[in-house]
């Protein structure tokens, strides 16, 4: 059983940056594809970014060029560096561990990101 704990969310202004972290415990972190998803109020949860076991990265078009996903297998942690934040980035951000960027075995509890205009 893998436990995932997100941190780093908060209230920022448009144009600011945040770095989210997701710390994993209880499993073999390096064997999982790690994914960030988000859910805005009144909307469905959506894919944001993923990093494979080999370090390949994938992004949704809405955040390309602004967000960067990375992983540190020595620290069992995946990060999401978010720059040039926009109000439409406001959401609860979740990390997930799975076998692909669309197949998840474990979820974190989420961290709130609010971007004011």
């Amino acid at each position: 059983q893998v436990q995932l704990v997100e941190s780093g969310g908060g209230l920022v202004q448009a144009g600011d940056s945040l770095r989210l972290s997701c710390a994993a415990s209880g499993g073999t972190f390096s064997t999982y594809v790690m994914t960030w998803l988000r859910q805005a109020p009144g909307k469905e949860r959506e894919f944001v970014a993923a990093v494979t076991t080999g370090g390949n990265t994938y992004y949704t078009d809405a955040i390309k060029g602004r967000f960067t996903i990375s992983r540190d297998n020595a620290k069992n942690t995946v990060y999401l560096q978010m720059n040039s934040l926009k109000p439409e980035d406001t959401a609860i951000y979740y990390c997930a561990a799975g076998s692909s960027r669309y197949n998840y075995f474990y979820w974190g509890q989420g961290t709130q990101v609010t971007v004011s205009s």
Side-chain angles (χ1 to χ4, degrees):
Q1 188 77 8
V2 174
Q3 292 80 44
L4 302 173
V5 179
E6 302 96 334
S7 62
L11 172 62
V12 297
Q13 293 186 333
D16 286 350
S17 298
L18 279 175
R19 188 176 81 154
L20 305 184
S21 300
C22 172
S25 61
T28 308
F29 176 80
S30 62
T31 65
Y32 294 107
V33 175
M34 297 303 297
T35 303
W36 285 98
L37 304 97
R38 67 185 181 186
Q39 186 165 18
K43 296 187 177 181
E44 293 187 354
R45 195 172 299 186
E46 65 174 357
F47 170 85
V48 175
V51 57
T52 68
T53 57
N56 294 324
T57 57
Y58 301 87
Y59 299 95
T60 190
D61 287 346
I63 57 87
K64 280 183 180 177
R66 299 189 296 122
F67 291 12
T68 303
I69 189 171
S70 61
R71 66 189 300 159
D72 185 338
N73 289 337
K75 296 183 178 180
N76 289 350
T77 301
V78 61
Y79 304 98
L80 186 67
Q81 177 66 45
M82 306 187 295
N83 299 329
S84 302
L85 282 161
K86 304 176 180 180
E88 51 263 44
D89 295 318
T90 294
I92 300 173
Y93 284 71
Y94 300 89
C95 71
S99 59
S100 77
R101 63 186 189 269
Y102 295 121
N103 187 31
Y104 318 119
F105 302 146
Y106 306 104
W107 290 88
Q109 298 280 7
T111 185
Q112 176 71 48
V113 172
T114 303
V115 184
S116 64
S117 57

